[in-house]
């Protein structure tokens, strides 16, 4: 490894989680290498290249610079791993190994199914090859133009049973996009998104939401079967393909158990812990205890709102109105949820806006902190006073439940509630 260059080659890599993955797999000094297209050729002539991973937009471009291309990568038409041996540059595709691992992990079978693939870039080629190896009945690639496109997708392919997103829509830092509306594809029950940051894209949030509510479909045909999805983001694929790349870099096998251990560790390190619940339910004190327990940084959204407005929350509400306060709350929450690896204590009304609930769930695991109404303090909380607490609870409780992945009752000490949340988060 000494004197050799190892890293990830791409154009814009600020979102990448590859360095900690490869370092955990034993590749110290792994770098992010950002190049413009005109720099690619000269860079790949470097004799000190040990091994490189390749990402958007160069998975096809590097092929013309390879001396030897693995037959599997040649068949796919895409290279994501480069290794220099004996002065020659070898090209491989480990994405397909990662893709098929991701499917198995999520218990998604494509056998006999009609599969639609969103996007026509390098990742799409891998998804197509994987779907073929998994014996899909039919595979259709959807692009912005051509015979199969986003405009005619619901009309021509409503019978598709599996959907794979290989586009960057919804990827950090532009988190709010979504390629398709799953409501328009009533037969789709398997959803795969190769994006790994955020952990749950808007596409996956919709799949998860439809599955959680068990929305019935095909009632016209008298079929009341619930529409329960299998879905997955791209983190398992990212780790599994990196593990295979490391084996090619150094010619040493790595146990499969390391893949799953690393998926779990990365998820725990990068995922936010988000606390929701009624005003006074203890989100701040439990959040501080969680931050101490987990080693994650603590973010109190109410403090962020005060800093942004330059005045206390009761003053914002009394002088400017609740609407101004909610807009400030939304801005601060979006900024916080765009980052990773934090404990975030939200305000009691943060769940009122669907955009806020989506933002929490995209990058975090959300916990509903419950406490008996009679134990909730109201002093200094203008929206909790004047007998409005019960009415507020009736309105917000369904929204807390809808936002949350897990519910914890805070009826003892903050430390006990924090321990319960941490056990679930690590489980």
């Amino acid at each position: 490894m000494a004197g050799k260059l190892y890293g990830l080659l791409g154009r814009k890599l600020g979102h990448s989680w590859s360095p900690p993955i490869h370092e955990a797999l034993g590749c110290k000094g792994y770098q992010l290498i950002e190049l413009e297209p005109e720099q690619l050729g000269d860079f790949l002539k470097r004799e000190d290249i040990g091994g490189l991973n390749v990402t958007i937009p160069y998975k096809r471009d590097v092929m013309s610079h390879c001396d030897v291309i693995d037959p599997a990568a040649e068949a796919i038409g895409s290279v994501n791993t480069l290794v220099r041996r004996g002065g020659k540059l070898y090209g491989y595709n480990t994405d397909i190994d990662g893709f098929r691992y991701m499917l198995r992990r999520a218990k998604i079978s494509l056998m006999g199914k009609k599969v639609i693939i969103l996007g026509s870039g390098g990742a799409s080629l891998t998804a197509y090859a994987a779907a073929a190896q998994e014996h899909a009945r039919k595979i259709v690639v959807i692009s912005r133009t051509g015979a199969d496109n986003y405009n005619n997708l619901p009309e021509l392919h409503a019978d598709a049973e599996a959907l794979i997103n290989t586009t960057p829509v919804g990827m950090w830092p532009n988190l709010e996009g979504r390629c398709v509306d799953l409501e328009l594809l009533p037969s789709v029950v398997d959803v795969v998104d190769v994006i790994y940051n955020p952990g749950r894209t808007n596409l996956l949030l919709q799949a998860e939401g439809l599955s959680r509510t068990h929305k019935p479909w095909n009632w016209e045909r008298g079929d009341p079967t619930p529409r329960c999805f299998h879905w997955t983001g791209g983190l398992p694929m990212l780790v599994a393909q990196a593990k295979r790349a490391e084996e090619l870099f150094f010619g040493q096998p790595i146990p499969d158990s390391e893949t799953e251990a690393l998926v779990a560790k990365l998820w725990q390190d990068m995922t936010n812990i988000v606390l929701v619940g009624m005003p006074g339910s203890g989100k701040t004190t439990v959040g501080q205890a969680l931050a101490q327990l987990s080693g994650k940084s603590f973010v109190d959204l109410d403090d962020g709102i005060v800093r942004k407005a330059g005045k206390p929350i009761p003053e914002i509400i009394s002088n400017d109105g609740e609407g101004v306060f909610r807009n400030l709350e939304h801005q601060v929450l979006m900024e916080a949820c765009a980052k990773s690896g934090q404990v975030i204590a939200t305000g009691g009304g943060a769940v009122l806006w669907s955009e806020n609930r989506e933002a929490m769930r995209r990058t975090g695991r959300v916990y509903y902190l419950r406490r008996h109404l009679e134990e909730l303090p109201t002093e200094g909380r203008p929206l909790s006073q004047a007998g409005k607490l019960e009415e507020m609870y009736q309105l917000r409780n369904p929204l807390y439940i809808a936002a949350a992945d897990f519910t914890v009752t805070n009826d003892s000490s903050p430390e006990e509630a924090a321990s319960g949340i941490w056990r679930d988060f690590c489980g």
Side-chain angles (χ1 to χ4, degrees), residues 353-424:
W353 288 16
S354 62
E355 298 93 335
N356 291 350
R357 299 194 299 272
E358 287 180 354
M360 296 173 197
R361 294 181 63 78
R362 274 196 295 263
T363 56
R365 183 162 173 83
V366 183
Y367 292 86
Y368 176 14
L369 207 58
R370 303 190 73 150
R371 202 172 189 179
H372 295 299
L373 288 187
E374 58 269 21
E375 296 179 11
L376 298 178
T378 59
E379 186 177 349
R381 303 174 188 272
L383 298 180
S384 299
Q385 295 175 2
K388 294 181 178 178
L389 202 59
E390 177 66 34
E391 180 182 338
M392 180 190 294
Y393 175 78
Q394 294 302 327
L395 169 66
R396 294 182 181 179
N397 184 54
L399 301 179
Y400 293 138
I401 293 171
D405 295 287
F406 194 75
T407 298
V408 173
T409 301
N410 184 24
D411 57 2
S412 182
S413 68
E415 291 75 19
E416 187 174 326
S419 294
I421 291 170
W422 187 239
R423 282 194 301 271
D424 171 81

Side-chain angles (χ1 to χ4, degrees), residues 16-194:
S16 178
W17 294 4
S18 289
I21 293 173
H22 283 273
E23 289 183 6
L25 291 168
C27 187
K28 306 303 180 186
Y30 188 91
Q31 301 178 31
L32 295 179
I33 304 161
E34 294 186 343
L35 296 179
E36 292 301 313
E38 62 272 16
Q39 299 173 291
L40 189 63
D42 287 340
F43 177 82
L44 293 177
K45 293 175 184 176
R46 289 180 56 160
E47 291 298 323
D48 63 342
I49 290 173
L52 298 172
N53 295 112
V54 184
T55 189
I56 297 171
Y58 298 133
K59 290 186 179 185
R60 284 186 280 191
D61 294 347
V62 299
M63 295 181 75
S64 62
H65 300 278
C66 292
D67 298 296
V68 181
I69 298 178
D70 180 73
E74 188 80 68
I76 293 168
S78 172
V79 161
N80 82 313
T81 300
L82 297 171
V83 181
R84 189 174 291 287
R85 296 194 202 99
K88 291 184 177 182
L89 196 62
Y90 289 75
Y92 301 90
N93 191 304
T94 67
D95 277 340
I96 194 162
D97 301 276
F99 194 97
R100 297 185 74 185
Y101 176 87
M102 173 177 62
L103 293 181
R104 293 193 300 273
R105 187 177 187 272
K107 296 180 173 58
I108 292 175
S109 171
L110 303 182
M111 182 177 290
K113 294 179 180 176
K114 179 176 179 179
V115 178
I116 50 178
I117 298 172
L118 306 182
S120 54
S124 175
L125 298 173
T126 300
Y128 194 102
Q133 289 184 20
E134 295 288 325
H135 305 290
R137 171 172 52 87
K138 185 174 183 180
I139 308 169
V140 180
V141 175
I142 306 298
S143 57
R144 283 174 289 186
T145 59
D148 297 297
N149 57 66
Y150 293 98
N151 292 326
N152 64 30
L153 172 58
E155 177 186 352
L156 297 183
H157 304 295
D159 59 336
E161 297 141 292
L163 181 147
I164 301 168
N165 177 46
T166 68
T167 78
V169 176
M171 184 172 74
W172 187 93
N174 302 310
L175 304 178
E176 297 181 56
R178 189 179 68 199
C179 282
V180 297
D181 182 357
L182 294 173
E183 296 271 20
L184 302 178
L185 298 169
S187 297
V188 166
V189 290
D190 296 313
V191 179
V192 177
D193 199 326
V194 301

